[in-house]
Amino acid sequence: QVQLEESGGGLVQPGGSLRLSCVAFGSRFNFYDVAWYRQAPSNQRDLVARVNTMGNTDYADSVKGRFTISRDNAKNTVYLQMNSLKPEDTAVYYCNGVGKLIGLGTTWGQGTQVTVSS
């Protein structure tokens, strides 16, 4: 089981870039699928991007071509590189880990705020 902690959020202007980090504290990180979700006020928590244990990635249509998810198992970290940011990207971004072995379970981070505004 791991504990997840997001960082890297902040205020950026439209068109700017930001890199979010999700650090896992614990063991067996390489056996977790990891995803980034985001939730704007009064909205649902939506999947943004995900990377599985093999390094394969998927993206929401709204961020394809702009965001890149990657993982560095040696550092127990998953990144979300966010480019060409738009105001509609404003949300709290959460890191989610789903263990692929028995006993690992699912873990959520506390979230990091991303605000895109002039």
Side-chain angles (χ1 to χ4, degrees):
Q1 297 181 342
V2 299
Q3 180 182 1
L4 304 179
E5 182 175 314
E6 305 94 336
S7 63
L11 174 64
V12 296
Q13 295 186 356
S17 297
L18 211 58
R19 189 178 77 159
L20 306 183
S21 297
C22 173
V23 179
F25 298 90
S27 62
R28 311 291 186 181
F29 175 72
N30 55 318
F31 293 104
Y32 283 80
D33 291 349
V34 180
W36 285 97
Y37 288 75
R38 67 186 182 187
Q39 185 171 15
S42 302
N43 290 331
Q44 297 183 7
R45 187 173 298 185
D46 296 324
L47 177 66
V48 176
R50 60 185 180 185
V51 57
N52 66 13
T53 58
M54 300 299 296
N56 300 312
T57 60
D58 290 290
Y59 299 91
D61 288 341
S62 59
V63 305
K64 286 182 179 178
R66 300 188 298 120
F67 291 8
T68 302
I69 188 172
S70 61
R71 68 189 299 163
D72 187 341
N73 289 337
K75 297 181 179 179
N76 273 20
T77 302
V78 169
Y79 303 97
L80 185 67
Q81 179 65 48
M82 310 164 68
N83 299 324
S84 302
L85 284 163
K86 305 174 181 179
E88 50 262 45
D89 295 319
T90 297
V92 177
Y93 284 70
Y94 297 91
C95 185
N96 167 253
V98 178
K100 309 307 293 183
L101 298 178
I102 296 175
L104 294 183
T106 299
T107 303
W108 288 90
Q110 293 292 97
T112 184
Q113 176 71 49
V114 172
T115 302
V116 185
S117 179
S118 299

